[in-house]
Amino acid sequence: MPKIILPPRSAQRQEDTWDIASVFPNTAAWEAEYQQVQMELPAFEKYHGKLNEPTIMAEVLDAYFQVTTRAQKLSMYAELLTSVDTSNEEATALISRAATLNGQVSAALAFIKPELLANGAEKLSQWANSDSRLAAYTHYLEDLLRLQAHVRSPEIEELLGALNDPFTTTHSVMRSLTGAEIRFQSATSSTGEEYPVAQGTTVTLWSSTDRETRRTAWENYHDGYLAFKKTLAHNLEGQIKQNIFFARAHGYRSALEARLAVDHIPVEVYHNVIDTFRRNLSTWHRYWALRRRVLGYKTLHTYDLYSPLTTQLPALPYTQAVDLIAEGLQPLGDEYIQILRRGCLQERWVDIYPNQGKRLGAFSSGSPGTHPFIFMSYDDSLKGMSTLAHELGHSMHSYLTWQTQPLVYSDYSMFVAETASNFHQAMVRAHLLRTRLERDFQIGLLDEAMNNFHRYYFIMPLLARLELEMYERVERGEALTADILNGLFADFLAEGYGSEVEVDAARDGITWATFGHLYANFYVFQYTTGIAAANALARSILASQPQAVERYLAFLRTGNALYPLDVLQQAGVDLRTPEPIEATFTVLADYVERLEQLTSAME
């Protein structure tokens, strides 16, 4: 493989980076806004004890969502700065200060919900129906009443709000440790070349055709985490205890119930993911067996799961990837495609390429009034194109929500967040399977699809199972140690791999520590529900079902104006049952069968 040279951040061409100056032109402007928000918080004191008439209620709610959105924008800017250069100490300081401000905002506004609820359901409903400014808050007020039993007194809510600042420390420690302080030994190829192992190079190295490069890159990466396993385990345990504390403070029976209650999701939906996954492990065992046969190995290891099944694939430069994505999404209409292309090629939504200090992974981030930015490390591959399509799904979801909804509903639940992203991938994949019939391209496309499913339909359900086990143990008063977590996850992987993949207990076991997603409690299961919903919605559009496109675009524009299960049901998929998850395992099985047919002559 070619030598990997990571340029410094300063060497990136401006047109290949996101337009962060459109958020704040510089840190001085960020500082001015920070100070302004801080200065305005005391003004909320005048509303204490006065939220008992519609006009004041509407005024304070407008101000509430405006100031929280401004604080969100400050945090988002700091996160963007540090993501592309984790060694940037100034950006790290901005993140800390933004967390402090968010804690101050939470504390200053904590009186609002208890005082609103003190009016009673009848009055709130009457006022929402009679006051035009309050009418926009009807769903918000209904949702507040639904959770009334879990809202504490203004004094307690103020105290709990103030805890948001110090309780961000565990997440900050994880980011600093994994993003900037853990050092990895270089990978070595079978011919002696060395390649730097970093958060931005692992995907490329693990997918090398040279097995020794893959092995050393994978082992050295996980060894870096193993060197800090005790610190990482204790830090995650601290995060779990914080979430359990908040759940109990608000009167919930468990942290899982508390987290899902926010989105009005029954806990059964979580268990559906784990149970359905375990019922369908035979599909994964069949796929691992296929990989082992095609690669010609007697024993398959985890580092072999990313090895390409074909090397005869064309390079896909960034602009060509944008063209292919646009072609696949054409059923959504010209306006949708024009917005997407403008964001990728003109407005600089995307920070495209890897550089020194750039963290691992990809994400979409933004705030009402900004671009829906995309962070990634594009590498001219099918995987890179798929990742770009995924993140563009998030960004288009955000863009259309922000263009449609008032601030109160301008966000959307994490439960639906992974639907639009995986929908993009499903649509583009279907288009390419239909139009690019060369055998190697088909193998490469299905191989990439299986890598994507490996992450969302294999690793994420396993992490969800681990997460539930962790929380239940801590809720019972038991301790978590690195050895316990490593042992649990190694056992879960062994079940998932069956007899086809050999488990390295220590290195496979520490996989949990490489996923910062666990600091967003009970988030990982939503990748699986998201990909299930995405495939169901894509199937309806590809089958030209009446109004399927209109229903999907309406879903993107709804934001938080409806509960997530309801907005998905209106779009055409019911995740209250395990059926969509089962149906997507059928998609997975079809991909495996296609690969078996395409690769039969290669074995």
Side-chain angles (χ1 to χ4, degrees):
M1 62 183 293
K3 188 172 181 61
I4 298 173
I5 300 175
L6 288 177
R9 178 66 183 174
S10 58
Q12 295 282 32
R13 300 187 310 167
Q14 185 183 63
E15 58 264 37
D16 295 332
T17 64
W18 49 26
D19 185 14
I20 194 171
S22 65
V23 183
F24 292 106
N26 49 47
T27 54
W30 184 95
E31 181 67 36
E33 173 67 353
Y34 184 97
Q35 297 293 337
Q36 186 63 37
V37 171
Q38 261 192 335
M39 288 173 55
E40 292 177 12
L41 291 180
F44 282 91
E45 293 177 4
K46 67 184 179 183
Y47 295 113
H48 281 260
K50 297 181 180 179
L51 300 187
N52 53 7
E53 60 174 282
T55 303
I56 299 298
M57 283 174 55
E59 183 178 327
V60 77
L61 284 171
D62 287 348
Y64 171 88
F65 285 102
Q66 287 166 8
V67 75
T68 54
T69 299
R70 291 167 65 193
Q72 174 190 352
K73 185 177 175 182
L74 288 162
S75 294
M76 181 267 295
Y77 177 86
E79 291 282 349
L80 295 187
L81 276 182
T82 193
S83 293
V84 295
D85 185 1
T86 55
S87 65
N88 185 335
E89 290 297 326
E90 180 184 19
T92 302
L94 294 185
I95 287 177
S96 177
R97 294 183 61 214
T100 297
L101 179 63
N102 276 286
Q104 293 170 347
V105 170
S106 295
L109 307 181
F111 73 95
I112 295 175
K113 290 182 180 180
E115 286 200 18
L116 289 175
L117 289 170
N119 292 301
E122 185 177 347
K123 283 186 177 180
L124 289 178
S125 178
Q126 178 186 343
W127 292 339
N129 289 328
S130 61
D131 187 280
S132 58
R133 287 181 63 188
L134 271 184
Y137 293 101
T138 299
H139 177 67
Y140 172 81
L141 294 171
E142 290 174 349
D143 191 45
L144 188 61
L145 287 164
R146 178 180 65 85
L147 297 172
Q148 183 171 10
H150 303 287
V151 177
R152 305 299 300 273
S153 69
E155 294 78 15
I156 293 178
E157 288 292 345
E158 181 178 359
L159 176 61
L160 294 173
L163 285 174
N164 284 321
D165 176 20
F167 275 18
T168 61
T169 301
T170 50
H171 188 257
S172 299
V173 167
M174 179 274 296
R175 285 182 63 106
S176 296
L177 187 60
T178 62
E181 295 187 11
I182 294 180
R183 293 289 182 265
F184 308 102
Q185 295 295 315
S186 294
T188 306
S189 74
S190 57
T191 55
E193 290 101 349
E194 291 192 351
Y195 303 106
V197 176
Q199 299 290 11
T201 65
T202 55
V203 172
T204 300
L205 292 169
W206 295 351
S207 59
S208 169
T209 56
D210 181 65
R211 197 181 197 194
E212 187 64 9
T213 299
R214 296 199 306 272
R215 182 187 68 80
T216 54
W218 185 84
E219 290 183 353
N220 292 348
Y221 181 73
H222 289 80
D223 285 347
Y225 282 88
L226 282 169
F228 293 88
K229 66 177 185 178
K230 292 182 179 179
T231 300
L232 290 163
H234 287 312
N235 196 57
L236 181 56
E237 182 184 37
Q239 178 73 40
I240 291 168
K241 287 181 175 179
Q242 291 170 13
N243 292 329
I244 292 172
F245 167 82
F246 277 125
R248 289 174 175 170
H250 285 109
Y252 289 99
R253 290 170 292 183
S254 69
L256 175 63
E257 181 188 55
R259 176 62 190 87
L260 298 190
V262 173
D263 293 322
H264 201 24
I265 295 171
V267 296
E268 290 76 20
V269 174
Y270 192 95
H271 293 288
N272 284 342
V273 168
I274 297 172
D275 295 342
T276 307
F277 168 75
R278 297 186 72 185
R279 283 197 303 271
N280 287 276
L281 281 177
S282 59
T283 299
W284 282 112
H285 297 165
R286 182 180 169 189
Y287 175 61
W288 308 137
L290 178 149
R291 288 194 66 85
R292 182 178 57 77
R293 292 194 304 269
V294 172
L295 295 174
Y297 297 142
K298 181 178 180 180
T299 303
L300 204 65
H301 296 271
T302 302
Y303 52 79
D304 295 317
L305 302 184
Y306 309 94
S307 175
L309 295 180
T310 178
T311 58
Q312 304 303 309
L313 292 171
L316 293 175
Y318 175 77
T319 53
Q320 185 179 353
V322 174
D323 290 341
L324 292 175
I325 292 167
E327 290 172 12
L329 296 171
Q330 190 60 52
L332 298 183
D334 290 340
E335 181 183 3
Y336 189 95
I337 299 305
Q338 288 168 7
I339 295 168
L340 181 148
R341 291 182 64 86
R342 190 170 68 241
C344 289
L345 303 174
Q346 299 174 30
E347 296 179 348
R348 292 172 52 208
W349 291 5
V350 189
D351 201 86
I352 304 171
Y353 299 111
N355 57 251
Q356 293 174 23
K358 194 170 187 178
R359 57 169 280 204
L360 177 67
F363 62 77
S364 171
S365 179
S367 177
T370 76
H371 295 314
F373 292 105
I374 292 173
F375 171 94
M376 68 178 305
S377 293
Y378 191 77
D379 62 356
D380 290 1
S381 68
L382 270 172
K383 168 67 175 174
M385 182 201 69
S386 182
T387 300
L388 177 61
H390 181 100
E391 300 306 332
L392 279 167
H394 288 307
S395 289
M396 291 300 295
H397 194 177
S398 297
Y399 180 93
L400 291 175
T401 296
W402 297 340
Q403 292 291 314
T404 308
Q405 296 296 334
L407 288 179
V408 60
Y409 306 127
S410 63
D411 199 1
Y412 46 81
S413 164
M414 297 301 282
F415 188 78
V416 301
E418 296 303 328
T419 298
S421 53
N422 284 285
F423 171 89
H424 266 205
Q425 288 171 292
M427 292 291 291
V428 173
R429 188 181 303 129
H431 167 71
L432 293 175
L433 284 172
R434 189 171 61 252
T435 58
R436 297 290 298 268
L437 302 181
E438 314 95 294
R439 191 187 74 156
D440 281 307
F441 194 91
Q442 293 264 313
I443 291 173
L445 189 63
L446 290 167
D447 191 18
E448 190 286 321
M450 292 305 298
N451 283 335
N452 188 62
F453 272 85
H454 175 216
R455 181 176 178 86
Y456 297 125
Y457 243 58
F458 184 79
I459 295 296
M460 293 302 179
L462 289 177
L463 287 172
R465 186 179 173 191
L466 177 71
E467 187 171 22
L468 183 62
E469 180 73 23
M470 290 190 299
Y471 273 87
E472 288 180 343
R473 286 184 180 225
V474 176
E475 285 169 340
R476 292 194 301 264
E478 300 175 23
L480 293 179
T481 67
D483 288 341
I484 288 173
L485 296 180
N486 288 6
L488 283 169
F489 203 69
D491 287 345
F492 294 166
L493 279 171
E495 181 182 356
Y497 288 153
S499 61
E500 295 295 335
V501 184
E502 184 172 305
V503 172
D504 181 333
R507 295 187 178 102
D508 276 312
I510 197 65
T511 299
W512 60 268
T514 68
F515 283 86
H517 306 68
L518 293 175
Y519 286 78
N521 58 319
F522 299 108
Y523 172 40
V524 293
F525 89 101
Q526 296 168 106
Y527 281 98
T528 304
T529 55
I531 200 170
N535 277 270
L537 296 174
R539 284 195 300 273
S540 67
I541 290 176
L542 293 169
S544 301
Q545 291 183 7
Q547 299 300 306
V549 170
E550 290 77 8
R551 288 197 304 268
Y552 179 73
L553 293 175
F555 156 72
L556 295 183
R557 293 187 173 102
T558 300
N560 274 335
L562 290 174
Y563 293 121
L565 286 174
D566 293 339
V567 71
L568 283 171
Q569 188 163 30
Q570 286 192 7
V573 57
D574 185 4
L575 276 168
R576 292 177 176 86
T577 76
E579 191 279 329
I581 305 172
E582 289 277 5
T584 303
F585 266 107
T586 302
V587 174
L588 187 69
D590 176 64
Y591 289 167
V592 175
E593 184 174 348
R594 289 187 186 212
L595 275 172
E596 287 172 337
Q597 294 171 357
L598 287 164
T599 60
S600 59
M602 300 168 58
E603 298 176 23

